[in-house]
């Protein structure tokens, strides 16, 4: 298993600004994922961030808008850049410690409101 | 293409009644299947998972799910609902790759 913490837990930001979300895992994991969960909706994968390689972004998400860092096997950051109200959402960090199609573990999420 | 369909965005049951949350998957190969629960203002927590062993899988908090290949289903059940079961439930599937596909979610309401 894995225990994940995220900072901040919530924030209210002005449009045009940027916010960096931190994700800390209590063990070393290779596979890390960032998701967006808009109000009342399911999870949408933003990108996969594996240590030692560039993040892989899903269709509709670009590095300029959502730059990701993965400096080591226990930590990652996601930045939401040049925010607009449409970016208001919950952002979730997730890891998969095992191989293949093993269980994913999720952080508590960062609730972002953009005014 | 792989997909997960959860029937019913909202399900309401009385306390003590049977809980049944439906999930169907579409996949060219047998997937690994998961049920996650999300309580308000929290991340997702694994309830149970199917990984090609026993077709009836028991999870935490009295939940279980049965994999039926002929019906491509993985429905979640609990014999007797408790108020604390009120939450959002997500079915998910993975065929061994990087991506886990999540269903749209079902919000469970439990009435006293």
């Amino acid at each position: 298993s894995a225990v994940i913490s995220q900072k901040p837990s919530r924030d209210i930001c002005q449009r045009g600004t940027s916010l960096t979300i931190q994700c800390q895992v209590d063990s070393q994991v290779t596979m890390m994922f960032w998701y967006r969960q808009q109000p009342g909706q399911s999870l949408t994968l933003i990108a996969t961030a594996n240590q030692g390689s560039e993040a892989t972004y899903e269709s509709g998400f670009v590095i300029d808008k959502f730059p990701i860092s993965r400096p080591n096997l226990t930590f990652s950051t996601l930045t939401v850049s040049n925010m607009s109200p449409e970016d208001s959402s919950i952002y979730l960090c997730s890891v998969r410690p095992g191989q293949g199609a093993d269980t994913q573990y999720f952080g508590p999420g960062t609730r972002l409101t953009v005014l | 293409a792989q997909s997960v369909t959860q029937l019913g965005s909202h399900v309401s049951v009385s306390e003590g009644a049977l809980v049944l949350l439906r999930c169907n998957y579409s996949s060219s190969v047998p997937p690994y299947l998961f049920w996650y629960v999300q309580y308000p203002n929290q991340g997702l927590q694994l309830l149970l998972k199917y990984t090609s062993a026993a077709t009836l899988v028991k999870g935490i908090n009295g939940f279980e799910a049965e994999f039926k290949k002929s019906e491509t289903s993985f429905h979640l059940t609990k014999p007797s609902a408790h108020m604390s079961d009120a939450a959002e439930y997500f079915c998910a599937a993975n065929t061994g790759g990087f991506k886990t596909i999540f269903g749209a979610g079902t919000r469970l309401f439990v009435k006293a």
Side-chain angles (χ1 to χ4, degrees):
Chain A
S1 66
V3 177
I4 304 169
S5 60
Q6 286 185 234
K7 290 181 181 179
S9 58
R10 59 179 62 227
D11 207 342
I12 301 174
C13 302
Q14 297 297 321
R15 73 167 63 213
T17 63
S18 298
L19 176 71
T20 295
I21 302 168
Q22 298 179 8
C23 176
Q24 180 74 53
V25 190
D26 70 339
S27 57
Q28 294 184 334
V29 293
T30 301
M31 299 183 71
M32 184 175 282
F33 308 88
W34 286 98
Y35 289 86
R36 182 172 72 183
Q37 185 180 23
Q38 294 182 306
Q41 297 190 25
S42 187
L43 284 70
T44 300
L45 181 63
I46 298 171
T48 301
N50 293 336
Q51 198 272 338
S53 61
E54 295 288 325
T56 302
Y57 289 83
E58 296 297 303
S59 175
F61 298 96
V62 295
I63 187 171
D64 290 346
K65 176 68 175 177
F66 297 101
I68 289 171
S69 77
R70 184 80 202 273
N72 57 52
L73 291 172
T74 63
F75 187 79
S76 178
T77 67
L78 169 75
T79 299
V80 186
S81 304
N82 188 24
M83 289 184 286
S84 67
E86 291 71 36
D87 294 319
S88 297
S89 189
I90 298 172
Y91 292 85
L92 293 159
C93 173
S94 176
V95 301
R96 188 185 300 161
Q99 299 296 317
D102 204 354
T103 304
Q104 282 185 227
Y105 297 89
F106 288 83
T110 296
R111 184 178 296 272
L112 171 63
T113 301
V114 183
L115 302 177
Chain B
Q2 188 180 185
S3 67
V4 175
T5 302
Q6 291 183 239
L7 298 177
S9 60
H10 298 83
V11 170
S12 182
V13 300
S14 298
E15 192 172 22
L18 171 71
V19 176
L20 171 61
L21 304 182
R22 300 177 187 273
C23 173
N24 288 88
Y25 68 90
S26 171
S27 173
S28 58
V29 298
Y32 286 19
L33 295 162
F34 307 84
W35 275 100
Y36 289 88
V37 60
Q38 185 179 33
Y39 298 103
N41 301 314
Q42 295 187 27
L44 277 69
Q45 177 184 358
L46 180 70
L47 271 179
L48 50 80
K49 65 179 179 181
Y50 166 77
T51 57
S52 75
T55 57
L56 182 62
V57 182
K58 294 186 183 299
I60 62 172
N61 301 339
F63 284 94
E64 62 182 36
E66 185 173 9
F67 173 69
K68 292 187 176 181
K69 185 177 179 180
S70 61
E71 299 178 6
T72 61
S73 69
F74 190 57
H75 301 333
L76 181 71
T77 60
K78 181 174 180 177
S80 177
H82 192 273
M83 296 297 288
S84 61
D85 294 326
E88 186 90 19
Y89 292 80
F90 292 95
C91 183
N94 187 304
T95 54
F98 281 104
K99 289 180 63 173
T100 296
I101 305 300
F102 288 84
T106 298
R107 181 163 295 277
L108 176 65
F109 297 92
V110 182
K111 299 174 291 185

